[in-house]
Amino acid sequence: MSIESPVIAVTSGEPAGIGPDICVALATRAWPMRIATVGDPAVLAARAQALGAAISIVPCRAPSDVGAARRGVLQVLPIEAASPVVPGRLDPRNAGYVLELIKRGAELCASGACAALTTAPVQKSVINSAGVAFSGHTELLAELTHAALPVMLLASKRLRVALATTHLPLGAVPAALDGPRLERIVTIIATDLEARFGVAKPRIAVLGLNPHAGESGVLGKEEQTIIAPAIERARARGIDAFGPLPADTAFTPEALERCDVVLAMYHDQGLPVIKALGFGEIVNVTLGLPIIRTSVDHGTALALAGTGQARPESLFAAVALAAELARRAKDA
């Protein structure tokens, strides 16, 4: 493997969850890229021991010191946890450590030292209980990279689903839908799918907010006043967006053949479908950032931490996609 192969930074996430477990699993196979896990070497070594994983933890000072990803070796960019870690037991004293992992990963990618960032899951509740307002990776990475509008996309082998709103209470969604903002989201999806995923003129199926997409205003008027006008403005600029479509029929096999991505209006409108169809192989990609970021499709699974039952396939898929996107960006 050439030293020119991309370095993928992988943050190890909430230390009490399965983030360390699945990061340890990265060392159980060889990879055609260089991987730098960002985390506490002692935490990762302890988790490897608990799992019976015979791997070596190799601290690296910088991404330039990271070599080929070899079976049995986990290369780590060290950040020390603030408090002792017990699998399955959240500790607000480590909230700052978790945030520092994300910040370090973003900095490495923004500087060009790493080609892409892949993130293990974090626990929003414990970060907020530590007194830090935190709604998720997507929003924090947008702040760290000065991105005006991040867009969450989940991608599997069979389906891509993007979100118009992310981590909001359901009652706050209608007020968060804004025509110009929705048009920008459609534009970001079209731009990034073409530039990063190599999809020529992406076909974007836009869902309505209400049952039956409002049924001509009888069940809600957001489709008529916000969503449809945003779609028309995007189409006028050459973007192949269409809708608003009723969500209950937009995911049939026939409907999905007519699009490259579905844009849902809120979190639980689109994500249950893609997770039902491909949980474990789905990758979370943040569009609209100046860096490449992928993530797993699951949470911290505290009850599984240190038990050997955590499945690493989603992390494997996220790392593989991060490397693919990084190579495409380099060749562009």
Side-chain angles (χ1 to χ4, degrees):
M1 183 186 306
S2 168
I3 193 66
E4 296 301 319
S5 64
V7 178
I8 310 301
V10 180
T11 58
S12 50
E14 166 55 52
I18 63 170
D21 303 53
I22 58 179
C23 285
V24 165
L26 289 170
T28 63
R29 54 176 288 185
W31 293 86
M33 76 285 285
R34 295 182 288 156
I35 298 176
T37 298
V38 185
D40 188 326
V43 171
L44 293 162
R47 196 63 55 88
Q49 183 177 16
L51 297 171
I55 68 170
S56 299
I57 306 293
V58 179
C60 300
R61 293 173 300 175
S64 57
D65 296 328
V66 175
R70 295 181 288 121
R71 190 187 306 270
V73 177
L74 189 69
Q75 300 176 93
V76 180
L77 297 173
I79 296 178
E80 186 176 348
S83 182
V85 173
V86 178
R89 187 179 302 172
L90 295 171
D91 188 341
R93 292 174 295 180
N94 278 324
Y97 161 74
V98 173
L99 293 173
E100 186 59 32
L101 299 179
I102 302 169
K103 292 175 184 176
R104 179 76 184 282
E107 290 168 357
L108 291 171
C109 293
S111 70
C114 290
L117 175 66
T118 297
T119 57
V122 299
Q123 188 86 11
K124 299 180 185 69
S125 61
V126 74
I127 296 174
N128 281 275
S129 69
V132 179
F134 177 78
S135 57
H137 273 106
T138 301
E139 296 80 6
L140 178 57
L141 288 168
E143 178 184 339
L144 292 172
T145 60
H146 309 290
L149 183 57
V151 177
M152 182 185 291
L153 172 80
L154 266 71
S156 71
K157 295 175 182 177
R158 302 169 61 184
L159 176 62
R160 300 184 186 97
V161 174
L163 298 180
T165 63
T166 52
H167 301 114
L168 289 178
L170 187 57
V173 170
L177 291 179
D178 169 83
R181 181 178 182 276
L182 189 59
E183 183 186 353
R184 293 200 303 274
I185 289 171
V186 171
T187 301
I188 289 168
I189 294 169
T191 300
D192 277 14
L193 281 188
E194 185 166 358
R196 293 189 172 180
F197 286 80
V199 179
K201 199 172 177 58
R203 300 166 299 169
I204 304 170
V206 183
L207 302 185
L209 172 68
N210 299 294
H212 305 293
E215 200 158 307
S216 301
V218 175
L219 299 177
K221 299 188 181 301
E222 286 86 356
E223 287 77 12
Q224 295 173 317
T225 60
I226 298 172
I227 302 173
I231 294 171
E232 288 306 311
R233 289 193 299 271
R235 290 184 63 83
R237 293 189 294 105
I239 295 173
D240 189 1
F242 56 94
L245 305 174
D248 60 350
T249 56
F251 294 98
T252 64
E254 295 81 6
L256 292 179
E257 287 180 1
R258 297 191 290 269
C259 70
D260 298 298
V261 60
V262 175
L263 174 59
M265 292 299 104
Y266 57 93
H267 189 281
D268 281 12
Q269 185 183 51
L271 298 199
V273 179
I274 189 171
K275 290 190 177 186
L277 291 175
F279 192 76
E281 67 174 32
I282 301 166
V283 180
N284 182 350
V285 185
T286 306
L287 308 180
L289 299 180
I291 65 173
I292 294 168
R293 181 261 175 159
T294 66
S295 187
V296 296
D297 66 348
H298 56 74
T300 55
L302 296 169
L304 301 183
T307 67
Q309 298 179 48
R311 296 178 57 182
E313 287 85 359
S314 183
L315 182 65
F316 290 177
V319 169
L321 181 58
E324 177 186 334
L325 297 179
R327 291 192 185 98
R328 185 175 288 119
K330 183 179 178 181
D331 295 339

